[in-house]
Every structure is written in structure tokens, then in C-alpha cells.
Amino acid sequence: MDGGTFPWDNGKFPGFTEPDPSYHGLEIYPTLGELSFILKARVQMLRDWGPALSPFNSFLFLQGLETLPLRMERHSQNAQAVAEFLQGHPKVNWVNYPGLPDHPSHELAAKYHRGGLYGAILGFGIEGGLEAGKRFINGLELHSLLANVGDAKSLVIHPASTTHSQLSIDEQKSTGVTDDYVRLSVGLESIDDILYDLDTALNGA
Amino acid sequence: MTDTADQKIQERDYGFDTLALHAGQEVDSATTARAVPIYQSTSYVFHDTDHAADLFSLAEAGNIYTRIMNPTTDVFEKRVAALEKGVGALATASGQAAQGLAILNIMGAGDEIVSAAELYGGTYNQFHYTLPKVGIDVKFADSTDLDGIRAAITERTKAVYAETVGNPALNTLDIEGLRQWRTTPASRSLSTTRCHRPIWSTPWSMGPTSSSTLRPSSSAGTARPSAVS
């Protein structure tokens, strides 16, 4: 995706201004203008490296896009409810969700995110750290333990031992990962069922 | 969507929800199918040898091979571009591929990237371990400290990279602050989004910015692709 406003002829990007012998000397930026970044990526990078999206998956993405605005509203409503619920839970030390007024990015998030919606993803610190986090995750019934975010179903993961495990402790800290950090991707289930699952697992942790 | 409808979209400036349903599609004239047809074809028949030569030399736009262009993917790319108010989009098989292509598209051995430290782990691996093997060095800086990012930029820096919402720190990037001094180092700013659907914010809607949201092929990796944007 490109905004089309970058001046590729500023002297630092010869690939955009020098003739491309694989296209009979075509000069990308003088010829293609604002479309240069995308078209260059298409006719050179996709041509040569080849990671094309399959047409069937394009169709599935289009299907998903059709209802995306509706789903994002519910994701955000449910995540806000989960954030507020966790804030008042005795087993929770801190909650990281941009929709909370005291979040460091709350103002920027309100500025940049459509419709005052703050998304599905939130993090929280569980009382008892890593071991309590493991007990909590293993005690969940409705939430799926997996590495992704943004599914219609509610997801959970412990970043320090999985998605960010290749990083050193210092590197983990620099990306915002701590031992007690539990990440949720709040789904579209009935909010009462989501909260019940979280509450039950927290109380058993 | 017909050509006329496409023009109406430009004239009326349809809302986000409308674009999510209609943008980029022209109803297939042969079948008038309402859904976007799945063109599961690797290749496309040329009218004649001149047509073939023109397509290969880019003298004329058209389908050659699905690796480069596909009619179903074309609708998806146009729809996403309309939603994000970009001039164009390119779909890839994964977000990692989108990043890799965007980077190799604008730089090579000897060049540098200054990247936010708050990154998805897979991005970190690509930047920290793999890019240096092809001669591209990545310096990491705290994206909440714009002065720190600026200080890390050198003559060889070709891009500043950040996630619009850091994963998992959930810090929101100060896109406008980044843009305000972007022209000085003359480097490209690239942004990506994993914690939010990319189309939920439009980095270049704040003015003449150079931001490029690497749409991770619509955050492709969910268990069920239709569940994501």
C-alpha cells in the first residue's frame, strides 16, 4: 500500500530513476510517477521473488472485508469491556489497552483510529507472574492458545515464552514484553461468556 | 461495480462501510456474477503476438501471469487501496513477504533501516538475522522517542520502519510527528500494522506523507482467512 507522494528522484533511490535493463531501459519514476512504488514492487519484486497471494485467498479476504466494519465495532466493544473487567480483578496487576483513558497512547490512538475504536488486542499482568500465567492460560476453556491476533474467536498467548522468545530479556523489555504479560485478542463471542471464561481461569490461577 | 459506479464513488466520496462492500469491483460482463469471481488461472491468453510483446514490455497493462497480476487479487488490491486512500496496493502471500518486498524494492546491500524496537517477533527475526545477510543493516530505536529515531539515521538510511500499533506494547506511533521531519533525512518511512487492521488508520491522510502501510496481505495468518480483513 502506498500513499504515492514520495519524491523518488531525491538522489537516494537510483532504482527508481536509472534505466531498468529488464524492461528495455524503462525509467520507473519518470514514467510511472505516483504509482512507482507499487508498480516497481509488482513488476520487479513479485516477478523475481514470487510470493503471490492465491486468487482463492484474495476471494476470502474480500469476503472478510465486506463485514469488517461491523466486526471491528464488536471486537472493540468486547475488548473495552474486558479491559475494564480486568482492571477491577484482584488477580490482575495492570492492564494495557489503548481504550483506557490513562493509557500512554490513548490520545494518539483516539486521533488515528477510526470511530473511537481501539481494537481487539489487550495485554495484562497477572499476579504471580510466569507460573500463574501458565495456570491461567491452561485453565481457559473458550479462549484458544495460539500465536495469532484478530481472529473472530477469542485468543490468548504468553509472548515471553512464544512469539517473542527469540529475544533476549533486554530485547523483550524493549518491545514491551515482561514475564507476567498475557496477551488477549478479544473475539466476537457473547461478552458474558468471554468474561466468565477469564474470571474462572483467573480465580484458578 | 460498473465503470459508472466507479465514477460515482469518486464523485460522491462514499463512506468506509460502502467502500468495504463495493470498491474495486466491476461486475464481470460475461457472467454478471454479483460475487467477485475466483480466477484460479496461472496465465492469460494474448490476443496476438504484438499484444503479448506489449504486455511483456509494460507498453500496455494487462494480465500475463497470476504471480504478477490476477483479476480476483486485483479487486482485493483496489478495494484495500480505496479503504486506505492510497494510490495503489500490492497483495502478497504473507505479511513477512510484504515487508521483504517493500524493503528490497527500495534498497540493497550497503543501505540501512532505522526501525522501532517494538516489533512483532517475526519482523524482528527478518530484520535482525536475515536482512544483514544480504547487506542491509537495521538499527533499532524506541519509537516513542522520535528524537532517538532521528539520531539513528545516517547517510545510508533508506527507510524508517515502525508498526502503527506496537506488538505487544500497544503504543501508538506518532505518525504526524514522524512525518514532520521526514523530508530532512530524505528517507522513506514504512509502517505496518498487526495489532490493528491496517485500514483502521490511514497514515497519509494527515497530509503529504510518504508512509507506506505494508498491508500484511490482510494480516493473512488467521486460522480462517475470511475472519480477517
Side-chain angles (χ1 to χ4, degrees), chain A residues 1-2 5 111 148 171 181, chain B residues 73 124 168 176 188 209 212 221:
Chain A
M1 170 66 59
D2 188 42
T5 58
K111 176 178 174 182
N148 202 9
E171 288 168 342
Y181 191 117
Chain B
T73 303
Y124 181 82
E176 207 166 7
R188 172 91 178 158
T209 162
S212 167

Side-chain angles (χ1 to χ4, degrees), chain B residues 95-109:
Chain B
Q96 293 291 98
Q99 272 167 205
L101 292 200
I103 288 163
L104 295 174
N105 197 33
I106 63 174
M107 67 184 80

